[in-house]
Amino acid sequence: CLRSALLFYLKLVADLEGEGFRLNPYNPCVANKMVDGAQMTLTFHVDDIKISHVNPAEVIRHINWFKSIYDTNVRVSRGTTHDY
C-alpha cells in the first residue's frame, strides 16, 4: 500500500508541476502558483486536497482540471467547515 501512495504522490506532483505549480521547498505537500497576480495555494494530505485563491472562479477552474485528470466524481466541499 505504501507503493501505491508513493505512485499517487509522484503523479500528483507531476500533474501539478505540469500545470505551473511549484512545490514548497519546506513542505512537499504544499504547492503554489501565481494566477492573475495572486497566489494560489494547494495543500494535500493522502487524497484530500485544499485549494485557496482570492478568486473563486479560479478555484472552480482548478477543481474542474482535477476532475478531468482524476475522476468526475471528485467530492467538493466549500466554506469554513468540512466533514471528512
Side-chain angles (χ1 to χ4, degrees):
C1 199
L2 186 59
R3 179 170 164 75
S4 63
L6 177 60
L7 291 173
F8 174 76
Y9 174 81
L10 293 174
K11 177 174 176 16
L12 178 61
V13 168
D15 291 338
L16 291 173
E17 289 177 339
E19 183 68 9
F21 282 90
R22 294 182 59 204
L23 284 183
N24 183 308
Y26 302 103
N27 185 339
C29 294
V30 176
N32 297 297
K33 88 173 187 177
M34 295 303 290
V35 178
D36 294 334
Q39 179 172 292
M40 174 174 279
T41 299
L42 189 141
T43 59
F44 52 95
H45 177 74
V46 187
D47 63 352
D48 294 320
I49 299 171
K50 178 182 151 270
I51 304 172
S52 301
H53 191 267
V54 68
N55 183 350
E58 285 299 327
V59 173
I60 292 168
R61 188 173 77 76
H62 281 77
I63 290 169
N64 291 334
W65 172 74
F66 269 103
K67 287 180 177 183
S68 74
I69 294 173
Y70 292 97
D71 188 354
T72 57
N73 294 319
V74 170
R75 190 179 123 197
V76 176
S77 176
R78 292 186 179 94
T80 58
T81 304
H82 305 280
D83 293 320
Y84 294 94

